[in-house]
Structure formats: structure tokens, C-alpha cells
Amino acid sequence: MPHQELLKKLSESRGLIFLPNGFDTCPRIVIEAKLLGCDVRLNQNVQHKNESWFNDVDSIVDYIN
């Protein structure tokens, strides 16, 4: 699926459940889902989920800029 199509599908979804088996560095799909306003359900293996910048869209944009 092309990236733009994936983002469109994600923007139409209520949320994203991402439960990696191994430690992860907060993959792009999780950040994109947050930026699209999706509810994200993550496990302890998603590294950045507890960082202050990860809590809202404006903070995420500031952090990645």
C-alpha cells in the first residue's frame, strides 16, 4: 500500500493498536497516528510513549521540527 493511502486509511480509523514483541524506538507509524488524531494503544516496548512531547500534536510537531 502506498504511504499516502496508508495515511488516508489511518486518518479514517478510530485508532492504532501497536504491540511490538521487542523494544522499539517509537516507529513512524505511531507518531503519524498521533498526528492524525488517532487513539493509540501501545505496550511497554514503544520507547517514547511516556515522554512529555508525545502527549499532544503541537508538542510532537515541535519535537520533530
Side-chain angles (χ1 to χ4, degrees):
M1 174 181 294
H3 186 247
Q4 291 291 33
E5 189 177 331
L6 174 68
L7 291 177
K8 184 175 181 337
K9 292 269 188 198
L10 193 56
S11 72
E12 296 167 350
S13 300
R14 183 171 56 179
L16 173 75
I17 299 171
F18 187 73
L19 309 171
N21 289 327
F23 189 66
D24 199 279
T25 60
C26 195
R28 178 177 172 172
I29 188 73
V30 174
I31 294 173
E32 289 173 333
K34 290 283 286 187
L35 290 171
L36 290 169
C38 295
D39 180 30
V40 296
R41 303 296 168 128
L42 310 169
N43 68 9
Q44 70 280 0
N45 292 329
V46 178
Q47 180 181 5
H48 297 306
K49 71 182 183 81
N50 294 322
E51 295 190 25
S52 61
W53 62 266
F54 194 73
N55 293 325
D56 65 68
V57 172
D58 291 333
S59 294
I60 294 171
V61 171
D62 289 343
Y63 182 80
I64 62 176
N65 280 328

